[in-house]
Amino acid sequence: MPSLSLMAAVTLALGACTSGADPGANSATTSTTVATADVSPITARIELPSTAVARGETITALVVVTNTGNNVRFVGCGTPFQVRLASEAIEPEVIWHACAEDFILSTGETTFEVPVPAVYNGCDSEPLSDCTINEGLLPAGEYEARLYQNPTLVPDPEPIAVRVVG
């Protein structure tokens, strides 16, 4: 089985780089782990300061990655992780910046701070119909905070249930 750094390079070669209010909810964390004989074990978890957010507001998630194996080199742009709100009816269009920077995911724990906006993605840069109709705000309701990555470095943790209010 190829090493994780080789898998990350293959993933990068195959994938193109494209372009809070707290209504009193509790914090939430979720995690997942992968380990095989030939791949360094890596865990990823999402931590949220709240499981509720007001329409149009942004909370900050922490994506905490623990690498108990060797350093992993990869090419990306900005952060390799985004956390977005999704539901059965709404799947976000995750936009990645187009650049190529060399990164190293070191052995140990690395934390990435990422915004989680309660708006449709792309509303700031594209005239999407949902943005025009809903002024860019996600409708109130039940969502999941899901991890998106470019390139894929870790298995996706379980999503966290989030309520959009207001």
Side-chain angles (χ1 to χ4, degrees), residues 29-81:
T29 301
T30 184
S31 65
T32 188
T33 303
V34 64
T36 67
D38 296 327
V39 178
S40 300
I42 296 179
T43 54
R45 72 179 184 271
I46 300 169
E47 295 179 359
L48 297 176
S50 172
T51 56
V53 61
R55 293 178 71 216
E57 296 295 322
T58 298
I59 56 176
T60 300
L62 298 179
V63 177
V64 182
V65 177
T66 303
N67 178 3
T68 60
N70 296 322
N71 291 347
V72 176
R73 294 182 183 278
F74 65 95
V75 176
C77 186
T79 176
F81 303 108

Side-chain angles (χ1 to χ4, degrees), residues 19 93 95 97 120-128 131:
S19 94
E93 179 182 341
I95 299 169
H97 296 286
Y120 287 98
N121 289 9
C123 288
D124 295 337
S125 60
E126 299 178 37
L128 299 176
C131 294

Side-chain angles (χ1 to χ4, degrees), residues 103-117:
F103 291 96
I104 296 175
L105 181 60
S106 299
T107 300
E109 190 171 275
T110 306
T111 301
F112 299 85
E113 261 188 32
V114 295
V116 184

Side-chain angles (χ1 to χ4, degrees), residues 10-19 75-77 94-99 149-151:
V10 170
T11 300
L12 178 64
L14 295 174
C17 188
T18 62
S19 94
V75 176
C77 186
V94 180
I95 299 169
W96 300 96
H97 296 286
C99 68
Q149 11 181 355
N150 186 25

